[in-house]
Amino acid sequence: MSKQFQFKLVLLGESAVGKSSLVLRFVKDQFDDYRESTIGAAFLTQTVTLEDQTMVKFEIWDTAGQERYKSLAPMYYRNANCAVVVYDITQSASLEKARTWIRELQRQADPSIIIALCGNKTDLSARRQVTQEEAKKYAEEEGLMWGETSAKSGEGVSDIFTAIAKKLPLTAAPSSRAGGARGGAPGAARAGVDLNKQSGAQGGPNEACNC
Amino acid sequence: MDEEYDVVVLGTGLTECILSGLLSVEGKKVLHMDRNDYYGGESASLNLTQLYRKFRPDKAPPTELGRDRDYAVDLVPKFIIASGELTKILVHTDVTRYLEFKQIAGSFVYRDGKISKVPSTEMEAVKSPLMGLFEKRRAKKFFEFLQGWKDEDPATHQGLDLDRDSMKTVYEKFGLEPGTQDFIGHAMALYLDDDYISKPARPTYQRIVLYTSSMARYGKSPYIYPLYGLGELPQSFARLSAIYGGTYMLDKHIDEIVTDSDGKFVGVRSGNETVKAKQVIGDPSYFGAGKEIEGGKLRVVEDGKVVRAICILKHPIPGTDDSDSVQIVIPQNQVNRRNDIYIAMVSSTHKVCATDVYVAIVSTIVETDRPEQEIAPGLQLLGPIYDKFVSVSPLYTPVSSGQADNIFITRSYDATSHFETVVEDVQDVWKRVVGKDLELKKREVEAEP
Ligand SMILES: Cc1cc2nc3c(=O)[nH]c(=O)nc-3n(C[C@@H](O)[C@H](O)[C@H](O)COP(=O)(O)OP(=O)(O)OC[C@H]3O[C@@H](n4cnc5c(N)ncnc54)[C@H](O)[C@@H]3O)c2cc1C
Ligand SMILES: Nc1nc2c(ncn2[C@@H]2O[C@H](COP(=O)(O)OP(=O)(O)OP(=O)(O)O)[C@@H](O)[C@H]2O)c(=O)[nH]1
Ligand SMILES: [Mg+2]
């Protein structure tokens, strides 16, 4: 039987760098040239299977536009196991914004969070403003993962998510829980209560007694 | 801000956030603003820096309390009743996916100078010092009567009518002692005073059933609590709203509620921008609460005060078996008051403070002009207090329904220990704003690959 782990992954970065496009490519292998700025972000999951058949399920959070007026709730990155901070390689200002988010994560998020800095839109490399060297050097200084992607062509997208999956601590017991509650220590026994169980409206067949 | 909205919501307290989440799901275009740079308003959970900034602006948090980010100290002490109305809203809107809950480990009641656990199992009940042997038998008969009650089956009524007979009559029928009545009315039905005794028994019956069914749901206590503090609740409803298109602006100074010559709502002014909307919903602090009215309209009135003392402890509360979280009810009769004193304590198990720190909030409805003294019986139960932040909060209620001017004001967070009255307020405001009862529909969950 293969093991499955679940992790919470959050996306951060300036508007229009391609956060939602990256997720769309990763989860549905699609791209949309006229993608609208995100309001109404979906809550998506995608599973990566590693070479040893370990399955890593990402529970992916997009910002839902709350960051726009500096109003992102701390709940968003709290408990996140990994963060992908995206910049647009054709906009050097977007790397500055990425640095701000990384500082915020280092201050507020769990210290063990894995942060990947991601330069998107490599298909537009003719208009490149951010060199690979500059971004890579910064990532090394801060101990971040780094990679470049194109949500449009698909280049590098699965690589960056797979690299994150490999780096996550796959030491806990396999998780049996499916679906959407947010992850703490992945797979660790959750002493918490599950409100969806026993709620008269939808009681499933396997209502465990928590007494 | 040149767009026009259906609803502007002011303040990101739980009541406002539930409303804006539900309104956004309903398809309304919502703009939600808060003067603070954090979510939660009066029902926020603060980190150490925010806590000291609020209560001790001249003092930095002591370094020995640990890291700022480990703290989420609630301003208003409340727990979620496991089978209560808030749970229903959490489940129906599916915001449970953003939250994780833990039980509150125990519920205690103060009696004759000591605290005892409210029994949660038969074993505990048999051993409980709260009643003598014979009283236990009488109590058992009483609970069997409540448990067995069926409206349509007169045989279960034992000659009583829950809608006509007072609770006093019911207590007398089962011969329950005053101490047991205190325990049932205050630690189980969670009444804050004794007014319920002379009223028809049905609401009390419903509250006891709610308490016991909540107790039965997860064991230990009837309460659950969100990891990282109550401030997570408004945040999760704000995300729901944002996902359905709601726009969020924190740290936004609100200068004026703009009305037309008839006094009807037009928009909200911040600096020299005015954003227009059809309706406005907000907490009392955005509508002149606590301020002198100069020419403006009186929109909210004060209806009592609550005193709350946030106490940082370095140990669990004595006499609670080192529980990591508790509620303690001090029934008013026990300390010669009209209103109960509550203690709500949580700790690092709930990710609201550093390990080996415990945060207890002692609160009651103010009866005298020396509120801090009124909570002394509660403070005494805590043992040594490392630091204490006391506040006295007026409770405001709106003077009008809002239907005439499209200005809908929510209530302050009251002294009850749970969220049932918050949900009542949500339902009430919803009905005034939307014109029909709030009906909870299960939210469509996006298909997961
Ligand atoms: C002070 C006190 C508080 C108690 N609190 C609880 C409680 O919060 N939850 C709980 O499940 N049991 C409580 N008990 C319960 C307990 O004594 C019951 O005997 C126990 O639940 C066994 O129930 P049973 O199914 O064998 O049926 P029975 O003992 O025949 O009881 C029938 C029903 O009445 C309820 N009940 C009986 N006595 C009490 C009682 N005193 N208080 C509350 N419910 C009672 C039971 O839960 C059960 O559903 C309490 C007992 C005492 C003395
Ligand atoms: N050429 C090119 N365009 C891209 C790429 N990724 C995204 N885009 C385009 O960039 C625009 C913004 O992409 P989004 O995915 O909406 O960006 P976002 O970061 O989610 O933006 P917000 O939701 O506003 O925060 C869209 O028009 C996309 O089509 C890419 O790799 N290459
Ligand atoms: Mg987006």
Side-chain angles (χ1 to χ4, degrees):
Chain A
M1 201 190 83
S2 59
K3 295 179 179 174
Q4 184 173 325
F5 300 89
Q6 185 164 319
F7 297 96
K8 172 175 169 181
L9 181 148
V10 297
L11 286 151
L12 289 165
E14 194 171 22
S15 185
V17 294
K19 299 181 292 294
S20 306
S21 300
L22 273 174
V23 177
L24 189 67
R25 173 64 74 190
F26 175 52
V27 174
K28 299 194 175 147
D29 200 20
Q30 293 169 1
F31 179 77
D32 187 351
D33 259 312
Y34 302 100
R35 198 168 173 74
E36 288 192 7
S37 185
T38 305
I39 43 166
F43 177 91
L44 294 164
T45 61
Q46 177 64 300
T47 304
V48 171
T49 307
L50 299 178
E51 277 143 23
D52 63 355
Q53 297 307 305
T54 306
M55 315 239 279
V56 174
K57 183 171 178 184
F58 288 111
E59 188 182 274
I60 304 166
W61 293 42
D62 201 345
T63 57
Q66 276 178 297
E67 81 290 10
R68 209 146 299 158
Y69 301 100
K70 298 212 185 84
S71 304
L72 193 62
M75 184 198 72
Y76 181 72
Y77 39 75
R78 176 167 288 154
N79 242 355
N81 306 98
C82 36
V84 177
V85 182
V86 187
Y87 64 94
D88 175 347
I89 63 156
T90 71
Q91 303 288 336
S92 45
S94 70
L95 181 63
E96 279 318 302
K97 186 72 199 179
R99 288 179 199 259
T100 315
W101 280 120
I102 286 162
R103 275 195 295 275
E104 177 78 0
L105 284 168
Q106 288 167 337
R107 215 160 45 90
Q108 297 288 350
D110 190 281
S112 67
I113 189 169
I114 291 172
I115 305 174
L117 179 65
C118 173
N120 189 39
K121 308 200 185 178
T122 51
D123 57 290
L124 303 177
S125 58
R127 281 157 40 195
R128 182 186 280 277
Q129 287 186 356
V130 181
T131 64
Q132 297 200 340
E133 293 68 38
E134 180 191 356
K136 212 166 157 179
K137 180 162 168 282
Y138 166 64
E140 272 164 18
E141 282 165 11
E142 296 292 330
L144 318 171
M145 298 174 71
W146 173 81
E148 284 193 342
T149 55
S150 165
K152 185 165 183 167
S153 72
E155 187 186 23
V157 176
S158 62
D159 305 81
I160 200 156
F161 288 97
T162 308
I164 294 168
K166 283 189 182 149
K167 218 170 163 197
L168 285 162
L170 307 180
T171 47
S175 164
S176 58
R177 117 197 127 85
R182 69 173 166 191
R190 281 157 51 95
V193 295
D194 183 354
L195 294 193
N196 294 295
K197 264 187 200 155
Q198 277 195 28
S199 61
Q202 56 181 80
N206 50 353
E207 279 181 15
C209 176
N210 256 326
C211 311
Chain B
M1 299 225 296
D2 47 2
E3 287 163 274
E4 186 165 343
Y5 291 85
D6 291 322
V7 188
V8 174
V9 183
L10 302 177
T12 54
L14 180 59
T15 314
E16 294 76 38
C17 285
I18 297 178
L19 282 163
S20 97
L22 294 171
L23 287 165
S24 299
V25 172
E26 192 81 359
K28 302 265 191 216
K29 190 169 170 190
V30 175
L31 172 65
H32 201 156
M33 299 194 275
D34 194 305
R35 67 167 76 83
N36 296 317
D37 62 0
Y38 53 83
Y39 280 89
E42 294 292 303
S43 63
S45 304
L46 304 183
N47 65 29
L48 276 185
T49 307
Q50 291 167 327
L51 185 71
Y52 275 77
R53 200 197 297 151
K54 185 174 175 77
F55 290 98
R56 301 265 147 81
D58 49 342
K59 202 177 149 213
T63 48
E64 69 164 312
L65 284 180
R67 289 183 311 187
D68 205 27
R69 64 159 159 246
D70 290 337
Y71 284 80
V73 178
D74 300 332
L75 294 176
V76 171
K78 284 184 186 291
F79 292 149
I80 301 171
I81 297 195
S83 300
E85 290 297 316
L86 182 59
T87 305
K88 282 185 201 148
I89 294 188
L90 288 164
V91 170
H92 280 264
T93 54
D94 214 30
V95 301
T96 44
R97 61 167 49 166
Y98 310 137
L99 299 162
E100 201 172 324
F101 296 90
K102 280 238 163 89
Q103 288 186 62
I104 292 299
S107 176
F108 289 75
V109 61
Y110 178 92
R111 175 86 162 268
D112 305 329
K114 284 206 315 277
I115 55 175
S116 312
K117 189 162 188 298
V118 179
S120 61
T121 62
E122 179 165 13
M123 274 284 275
E124 283 182 8
V126 168
K127 285 200 241 147
S128 173
L130 285 166
M131 296 176 204
L133 186 59
F134 294 104
E135 183 68 359
K136 273 183 184 144
R137 281 190 200 155
R138 289 188 286 267
K140 190 166 153 141
K141 289 233 155 59
F142 167 79
F143 286 113
E144 280 165 359
F145 160 71
L146 294 186
Q147 214 78 38
W149 177 277
K150 287 195 189 71
D151 278 341
E152 68 284 1
D153 181 3
T156 66
H157 297 183
Q158 302 191 23
L160 289 165
D161 181 340
L162 292 184
D163 297 307
R164 210 164 302 148
D165 290 318
S166 68
M167 201 53 212
K168 182 167 189 284
T169 310
V170 178
Y171 282 145
E172 278 168 0
K173 159 110 185 167
F174 291 91
L176 296 180
E177 295 163 359
T180 309
Q181 298 182 16
D182 262 0
F183 160 77
I184 293 167
H186 295 264
M188 293 179 84
L190 301 169
Y191 281 111
L192 294 168
D193 58 37
D194 264 349
D195 294 352
Y196 77 97
I197 293 188
S198 53
K199 295 187 179 151
R202 184 173 297 271
T204 308
Y205 155 76
Q206 285 164 334
R207 281 164 168 246
I208 297 172
V209 169
L210 174 62
Y211 186 93
T212 44
S213 70
S214 298
M215 187 77 121
R217 199 159 161 185
Y218 303 114
K220 293 211 241 178
S221 87
Y223 298 113
I224 54 173
Y225 184 88
L227 290 191
Y228 304 101
L230 298 178
E232 297 293 277
L233 298 170
Q235 289 181 46
S236 60
F237 284 101
R239 180 165 167 85
L240 175 71
S241 168
I243 282 180
Y244 280 83
T247 302
Y248 276 78
M249 292 183 186
L250 299 185
D251 206 5
K252 197 86 188 161
H253 194 77
I254 309 299
D255 294 295
E256 190 189 350
I257 307 296
V258 184
T259 54
D260 66 13
S261 52
D262 299 333
K264 267 197 197 301
F265 176 70
V266 171
V268 171
R269 184 172 67 80
S270 171
N272 44 26
E273 298 172 292
T274 298
V275 57
K276 291 191 175 159
K278 300 190 183 82
Q279 295 172 308
V280 64
I281 299 174
D283 77 50
S285 70
Y286 291 88
F287 299 94
K291 289 189 210 90
E292 291 293 323
I293 332 159
E294 342 117 339
K297 203 166 170 278
L298 176 77
R299 300 190 199 278
V300 291
V301 286
E302 190 184 312
D303 180 19
K305 286 185 169 63
V306 186
V307 54
R308 300 181 175 115
I310 299 171
C311 302
I312 307 219
L313 313 178
K314 296 285 197 96
H315 55 82
I317 297 178
T320 62
D321 296 328
D322 291 349
S323 293
D324 60 31
S325 49
V326 291
Q327 173 182 74
I328 304 173
V329 178
I330 307 178
Q332 25 84 282
N333 281 334
Q334 295 286 324
V335 284
N336 296 316
R337 292 175 49 76
R338 242 190 69 70
N339 294 282
D340 293 358
I341 300 171
Y342 279 125
I343 301 173
M345 189 209 74
V346 282
S347 64
S348 58
T349 311
H350 306 86
K351 311 240 167 118
V352 296
C353 57
T355 9
D356 301 325
V357 173
Y358 299 78
V359 182
I361 306 184
V362 184
S363 62
T364 191
I365 293 176
V366 174
E367 296 173 9
T368 70
D369 51 11
R370 307 178 77 177
E372 200 174 335
Q373 260 181 23
E374 296 185 45
I375 50 174
L379 297 173
Q380 272 155 23
L381 295 176
L382 302 182
I385 297 171
Y386 176 81
D387 205 348
K388 186 173 73 185
F389 307 90
V390 183
S391 62
V392 176
S393 315
L395 301 181
Y396 293 103
T397 46
V399 293
S400 82
S401 76
Q403 269 129 334
D405 54 9
N406 287 323
I407 296 175
F408 303 90
I409 305 173
T410 59
R411 294 160 162 272
S412 307
Y413 298 96
D414 64 20
T416 59
S417 62
H418 47 72
F419 287 102
E420 301 302 288
T421 51
V422 172
V423 177
E424 277 169 26
D425 195 26
V426 166
Q427 290 162 337
D428 182 46
V429 175
W430 177 273
K431 193 164 181 184
R432 279 146 47 200
V433 169
V434 179
K436 52 179 197 248
D437 283 333
L438 174 62
E439 241 181 274
L440 291 174
K441 289 167 255 169
K442 180 95 182 107
R443 181 182 152 207
E444 283 301 316
V445 179
E446 303 91 41
E448 289 178 8

